[in-house]
Amino acid sequence: LVDGTAASCYAMPSNIAESAGYRRIVQAVGMSGVQSMAQTLFFPLRLAHQLARPDCRQDPALDDEGKNLDLDKADKTCKQELSSYSSYAAGYAWVLYVLGTNML
């Protein structure tokens, strides 16, 4: 989260971008292929987010039965959930980074 807003960055770390292995992949599949591979690798995170807390993505002021919740309580619950998700996402991205740097 950046200033409370979900954000993503597709900047490539220089040690990967400058590696011979990465350049070979780009030559073989092109940048759109690299983008597709990146999207595919992050699919498990998108799926987990979609399945985890639908109330935080739709209307955080309603509970599972459609009843109104206290807005502060709902907002706090969703912020905690998104914070937890961000931690998992950062860990997952770090694992991909480490694997990528060791393979390239």
Side-chain angles (χ1 to χ4, degrees):
L1 295 175
V2 177
D3 295 331
T5 303
S8 62
C9 176
Y10 293 97
M12 182 68 62
S14 59
N15 61 327
I16 293 178
E18 296 168 358
S19 71
Y22 178 74
R23 287 194 299 263
R24 283 193 299 270
I25 291 171
V26 172
Q27 287 175 341
V29 300
M31 285 308 294
S32 64
V34 171
Q35 175 68 20
S36 294
M37 288 189 314
Q39 294 293 332
T40 300
L41 288 170
F42 278 91
F43 175 76
L45 284 179
R46 283 189 204 86
L47 181 61
H49 180 68
Q50 290 297 318
L51 297 176
R53 289 297 302 259
D55 56 318
C56 289
R57 291 185 321 277
Q58 295 170 0
D59 186 353
L62 301 177
D63 67 9
D64 293 335
E65 298 165 359
K67 296 178 184 174
N68 286 330
L69 290 175
D70 177 72
L71 288 176
D72 290 333
K73 180 180 175 184
D75 191 44
K76 182 179 178 183
T77 301
C78 288
K79 283 182 180 179
Q80 289 172 342
E81 182 68 27
L82 291 174
S83 176
S84 175
Y85 172 78
S86 294
S87 297
Y88 293 126
Y92 183 79
W94 179 252
V95 168
L96 291 179
Y97 171 75
V98 170
L99 291 173
T101 56
N102 286 306
M103 292 172 42
L104 298 173

